[in-house]
């Protein structure tokens, strides 16, 4: 145990239930507006010191779990453990909104990717990678729910990035796979299969990953390495391994001033080594380093195949933009460009373009339309990522209708009908895009966002 901590307080902390915490999604709502709405719902919020958007929450979930509330399904907040908000806060410490390219090397289910996107205000590009193909689906669902448009998702072993995208990123977050020693308050079975051999084995994988992340980082860029485990073999020793390997090219950035009280968990190298009893949260480790110079990249044999997308000409992009505005009063954002694949129309962030010739992504930007002979069929993410809710072509659902909407059903609003696509709202919150078919509003909610029980 670190100095000042004892094993009995550690065990007592691990046996206490974990406090529930949320992070407000500022892409969708301001902190002040959310706290006002929370007060109206009798949710008790207590600020988390290291994340201004983060709060511990006390709410009556006996009828509706927080994950099934309208506010969560509209993407206004993310249910995220308090200590897991530290890595992104460390990454953007004194660097607010200055990164154009960010790599989130182990991104699913998307808590930190969405936190990064909010800090970047949907600008630049985030390469959100996940090794597990099944978890990529959850990652994409959360990206959609939170109104994010500046991601490029990939499904690779994180060890490929150093060779495939060397020195391409202003910032890298590697929330590394680990033995999860810090998560026992949330998952009593977290230590069921623990062994010292597993710790040593996974630390070798972590060294490979941090080495790859270091190569992917631009000179002058910053990287945060984090885990939800407590052993020095998976934490301090991994960071020291990297510094020893690239002597003179790495500077550890101390995190003692990240928030008031951070000094209680600081190590001799300036890392945060958080035990559950320190701040009454999960155990966590966070280290920040800066790359001071260039390093020769590992050699790889690239076989990319033909890139299936084509960048739209200015004439085509202007035509799409004018049609979108005429239909929905929505303008295409700056620093983005239209790309075409067969009849599909996509919007990619400009910062992604330099990476397209060197890497293959599973999904990039947002799909905004499908073209047909009479024009364009607009898609769900046009509404949830580009609309403000103040557009002329909107329809506001009742709570009962919104419940039906989130269950994937078509709506028949009373005494209303129209033509073409329409932005769908619940109160002031945009929840999707519908299409009028007579007096029926056809549901455009993606299947992965459909819910079917315990709704608000």
């Amino acid at each position: 145990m670190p100095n000042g901590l004892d094993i009995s307080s550690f065990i007592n902390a691990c046996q206490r239930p974990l406090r529930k915490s949320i992070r407000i999604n500022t892409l969708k709502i301001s902190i002040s507006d959310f706290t006002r709405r929370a007060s109206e719902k009798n949710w008790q919020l207590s600020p988390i010191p290291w994340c201004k958007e983060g709060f511990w929450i006390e709410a009556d979930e006996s009828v509706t779990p927080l994950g099934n509330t309208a506010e969560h399904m509209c993407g206004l907040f993310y249910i995220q453990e308090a200590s897991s908000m530290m890595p992104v806060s460390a990454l953007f410490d004194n660097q607010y909104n200055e990164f154009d390219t960010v790599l989130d090397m182990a991104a699913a289910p998307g808590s930190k990717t969405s936190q990064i996107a909010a800090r970047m205000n949907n600008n630049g590009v985030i390469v959100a990678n996940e090794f597990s193909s099944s978890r990529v689906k959850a990652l994409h669902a959360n990206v959609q729910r939170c109104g994010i448009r500046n991601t490029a998702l990939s499904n690779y072993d994180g060890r490929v990035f150093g060779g495939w995208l060397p020195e391409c990123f202003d910032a890298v977050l590697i929330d590394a796979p680990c033995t999860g020693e810090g998560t026992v308050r949330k998952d009593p079975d977290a230590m069921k299969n623990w062994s010292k051999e597993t710790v040593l084995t996974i630390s070798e994988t972590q060294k490979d990953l941090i080495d790859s992340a270091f190569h992917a980082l631009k000179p002058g860029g910053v990287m945060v390495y984090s885990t939800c485990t407590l052993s020095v073999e998976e934490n301090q020793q991994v960071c020291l391994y990297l510094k020893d390997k690239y002597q003179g090219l790495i500077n550890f950035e101390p995190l003692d001033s990240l928030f008031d009280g951070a000094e209680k968990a600081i190590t001799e190298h300036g890392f945060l080594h958080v035990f559950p009893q320190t701040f009454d949260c999960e155990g966590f480790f966070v280290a920040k380093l800066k790359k001071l110079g260039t390093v020769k990249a590992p050699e790889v044999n690239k076989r990319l195949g033909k890139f299936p997308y084509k960048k739209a000409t200015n004439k085509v992009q202007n035509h799409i933009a004018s049609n979108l505005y005429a239909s929905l009063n929505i303008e295409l954002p700056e620093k983005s460009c239209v790309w075409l694949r067969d009849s599909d129309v996509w919007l990619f962030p400009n910062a992604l373009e330099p990476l397209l010739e060197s890497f293959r992504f599973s999904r990039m930007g947002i799909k905004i339309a499908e073209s047909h002979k009479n024009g364009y069929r607009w898609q769900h993410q046009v509404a949830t990522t580009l609309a403000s809710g103040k557009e002329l072509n909107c329809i506001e659902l009742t709570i009962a209708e919104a419940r039906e909407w989130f269950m994937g059903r078509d709506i028949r609003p009373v005494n209303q009908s129209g033509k073409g696509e329409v932005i769908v709202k619940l109160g002031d919150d945009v929840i999707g895009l519908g299409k009028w078919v007579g007096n029926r509003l056809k549901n455009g909610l993606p299947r992965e966002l459909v819910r079917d029980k315990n709704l608000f």
Side-chain angles (χ1 to χ4, degrees), residues 113 138-149 151 153 381:
T113 299
L139 172 61
H140 182 243
N142 279 319
V143 164
Q144 289 192 92
R145 182 178 63 83
C146 292
I148 299 168
R149 63 171 185 263
T151 55
L153 307 188
Q381 285 183 287

Side-chain angles (χ1 to χ4, degrees), residues 66-85:
L66 277 174
N68 283 0
T69 60
E71 290 75 15
H72 183 266
M73 298 178 74
C74 292
L76 305 189
F77 69 90
Y78 199 110
I79 300 171
Q80 182 177 358
E81 208 288 311
S83 55
S84 84
M85 302 176 196

Side-chain angles (χ1 to χ4, degrees), residues 176-305:
C178 65
T179 53
E181 296 164 350
T183 65
V184 290
R185 294 180 66 180
K186 179 172 64 180
D187 178 12
D189 293 329
M191 301 292 289
K192 191 173 182 179
N193 298 313
W194 183 95
S195 71
K196 187 60 178 288
E197 291 75 20
T198 303
V199 170
L200 297 177
T201 298
I202 204 166
S203 70
E204 294 303 312
T205 299
Q206 293 161 344
K207 290 173 183 176
D208 289 344
L209 292 172
I210 200 173
D211 189 86
S212 175
F214 182 73
H215 280 289
L217 188 64
K218 292 178 181 178
V222 294
M223 174 167 66
V224 164
Y225 172 85
S226 63
T227 72
C228 55
T229 198
L230 299 172
S231 62
V232 294
E233 293 88 349
E234 297 181 64
N235 295 319
Q236 288 94 324
Q237 289 182 14
V238 173
C239 298
L240 293 171
Y241 154 83
L242 192 72
K243 190 169 187 179
D244 289 343
K245 184 173 181 179
Y246 300 104
Q247 293 189 9
L249 293 176
I250 293 175
N251 187 51
F252 291 145
E253 303 281 288
L255 297 172
D256 54 330
S257 60
L258 184 63
F259 58 94
D260 290 341
E263 69 281 355
K264 297 176 185 177
I266 213 74
T267 73
E268 60 176 314
H269 297 100
F271 309 145
L272 283 169
H273 196 183
V274 179
F275 279 72
Q277 69 267 45
T278 310
F279 303 118
D280 193 16
C281 59
E282 279 190 349
F284 228 84
F285 176 84
V286 185
K288 184 176 183 179
L289 61 87
K290 186 171 184 177
K291 185 174 182 178
L292 304 179
T294 191
V295 180
K296 184 180 178 181
E299 294 184 5
V300 293
N301 182 21
K302 290 187 177 182
R303 296 179 181 177
L304 296 176

Side-chain angles (χ1 to χ4, degrees), residues 20-25 28-29 34 37 41 43 57 61 64-80 109 111 114 138 141-142 144-147 406 426 429-431 448-449 451 454-456:
K20 181 159 281 190
S21 50
I22 63 170
R23 178 179 45 78
I24 298 168
N25 178 19
K28 292 279 191 178
I29 191 171
F34 183 88
R37 288 174 63 162
K41 297 178 73 70
W43 293 349
I57 184 169
E61 297 186 81
T64 305
L66 277 174
N68 283 0
T69 60
E71 290 75 15
H72 183 266
M73 298 178 74
C74 292
L76 305 189
F77 69 90
Y78 199 110
I79 300 171
Q80 182 177 358
S111 58
S114 59
N142 279 319
Q144 289 192 92
R145 182 178 63 83
C146 292
F406 280 117
L426 172 60
D429 305 321
V430 174
I431 61 175
E448 57 265 36
L449 298 181
R451 305 292 285 272
N454 293 342
L455 297 188
F456 54 93

Side-chain angles (χ1 to χ4, degrees), residues 1 5-16 277:
M1 302 292 292
L5 299 181
D6 62 83
I7 195 69
S8 61
S9 63
F10 169 69
I11 292 173
N12 289 337
C14 289
Q15 292 174 338
R16 289 198 299 270
Q277 69 267 45

